[in-house]
Amino acid sequence: MTTEFPSKAAATARVLGSSGWHLWEYDEVTSTNLIAATLEPWHAVRADTQTAGRGRFQRQWVSDPGGLWLSAVVPVETNSTAWRLLPLVAGLAVCEVLRDLGVPNLRLRWPNDVLSDNRKISGLLIDQFRAGRAVVGIGVNVANHPEVRDGKLNGAVTRLADFVATPPSLSDLAEQILIALKATWKTALDGDAAQLLPRINALWNLPRRVEVDLDGPILRGDFRGVDAAGRLLLCDDSNRFHQLEPQEVRLLRDTD
Ligand code: BT5
């Protein structure tokens, strides 16, 4: 993956109050994750649109105007416990900000989707371009309509404006999410991930029947949440208990 420069350079990064975040804002980029790739920790990139927004496995992420397309650089030791928890800790931050703004029935879908009433409102994509830091890509539908660009998304997506008469500006929403992310991520970095677990596990709507694709073998059973090491906990239909490393799990499908 090559890192890129935006079509129109932002003049300077805006310092976000006392949070320590620096926010670079652009009109249009390929992907905010690629722009953030060369930045230092606690720098973030927001763009009004992305021409090559990405999901996992090189899936396309529709990034039409009116949505929040944000990438935040955070410090992390590769393969540490905190590293394995990063998608969940970031998802927690996004969920809590959206909940406080008034989005109802929020839940996480393993590993990186945020749903409201089973419709996707946000997706996260973690990249690592350099040792010691990760890029947390966060897409949130705010007032945009991705289903207009991709008809397959009809009925499967929702947006902040469906619930909140006057959503915050995209810059303000970026700031709120960055502040929440820093708070949750610092807790994980300090080795206190266990403190976040009840908040993360409350977001799966447990118990939940699932099918887990281990890149070939399929396990069926009850999803029991995650543990403090970031492992997915599953009790299969033969009553066997599994602690699955995140990288073992290609897909977790709800079956209820
Ligand atoms: C994700 O991937 O959900 C991660 C999306 C991350 C997007 C952010 S935006 C800022 C940063 N820069 C990037 O280039 N990416 C990150 P995944 O779980 O693979 O889901 C992708 C699937 O979500 C697609 O195949 C569609 O089905 C669906 N999708 C695409 N655009 C969507 C949208 N705007 N809202 C809801 N669902 C969408």
Side-chain angles (χ1 to χ4, degrees):
M1 213 171 338
T2 48
T3 55
E4 304 207 7
F5 293 97
S7 56
K8 193 172 172 189
T12 48
R14 199 158 57 83
V15 180
L16 302 181
S18 56
S19 70
W21 280 105
H22 294 67
L23 179 62
W24 301 80
E25 296 188 286
Y26 299 97
D27 296 342
E28 181 181 289
V29 299
T30 50
S31 159
T32 51
N33 272 27
L34 297 180
I35 307 303
T38 53
L39 298 179
E40 296 296 316
W42 312 121
H43 282 243
V45 174
R46 186 188 74 75
D48 290 340
T49 56
Q50 300 183 111
T51 54
R54 284 183 306 119
R56 296 195 308 147
F57 310 117
Q58 305 304 322
R59 291 182 196 126
Q60 196 205 349
W61 180 258
V62 179
S63 312
D64 46 337
L68 179 71
W69 321 126
L70 177 70
S71 296
V73 186
V74 297
V76 65
E77 289 292 320
T78 314
N79 294 328
S80 60
T81 300
W83 164 250
R84 295 210 295 274
L85 284 166
L86 181 52
L88 308 180
V89 168
L92 172 67
V94 171
C95 273
E96 292 191 339
V97 168
L98 294 179
R99 180 200 62 200
D100 292 350
L101 287 168
V103 178
N105 304 328
L106 281 160
R107 73 172 179 97
L108 289 172
R109 183 171 61 190
W110 178 278
N112 65 343
D113 289 347
V114 177
L115 310 180
S116 166
D117 281 327
N118 285 335
R119 292 174 180 233
K120 189 156 165 175
I121 189 166
S122 172
L124 286 87
L125 175 71
I126 315 278
D127 278 321
Q128 187 163 43
F129 300 98
R130 291 185 179 190
R133 65 190 78 168
V135 175
V136 182
I138 300 168
V140 183
N141 296 319
V142 179
N144 56 311
H145 286 265
E147 70 278 19
V148 171
R149 293 237 179 130
D150 180 352
K152 290 195 293 299
L153 297 177
N154 250 316
V157 297
T158 189
R159 74 220 88 243
L160 186 52
D162 288 344
F163 309 104
V164 178
T166 320
S169 71
L170 297 174
S171 296
D172 285 351
L173 182 59
E175 182 166 352
Q176 289 179 38
I177 288 176
L178 291 171
I179 289 170
L181 173 63
K182 190 163 191 176
T184 53
W185 187 234
K186 283 218 146 170
T187 305
L189 285 179
D190 290 346
D192 285 339
Q195 197 191 306
L196 301 173
L197 276 190
R199 280 152 68 195
I200 292 173
N201 282 331
L203 289 167
W204 304 114
N205 282 11
L206 300 174
R208 181 164 281 281
R209 294 278 309 156
V210 294
E211 215 173 66
V212 180
D213 178 350
L214 299 174
D215 219 1
I218 304 280
L219 282 177
R220 292 183 184 82
D222 288 332
F223 179 33
R224 299 280 173 88
V226 292
D227 66 13
R231 288 174 303 210
L232 185 150
L233 307 175
L234 183 94
C235 184
D236 73 17
D237 289 344
S238 314
N239 239 1
R240 272 193 301 263
F241 197 70
H242 301 262
Q243 294 175 302
L244 304 167
E245 295 293 338
Q247 65 274 15
E248 289 181 82
V249 179
R250 185 168 200 279
L251 199 73
L252 178 140
R253 248 187 313 269
D254 296 332
T255 53
D256 55 8

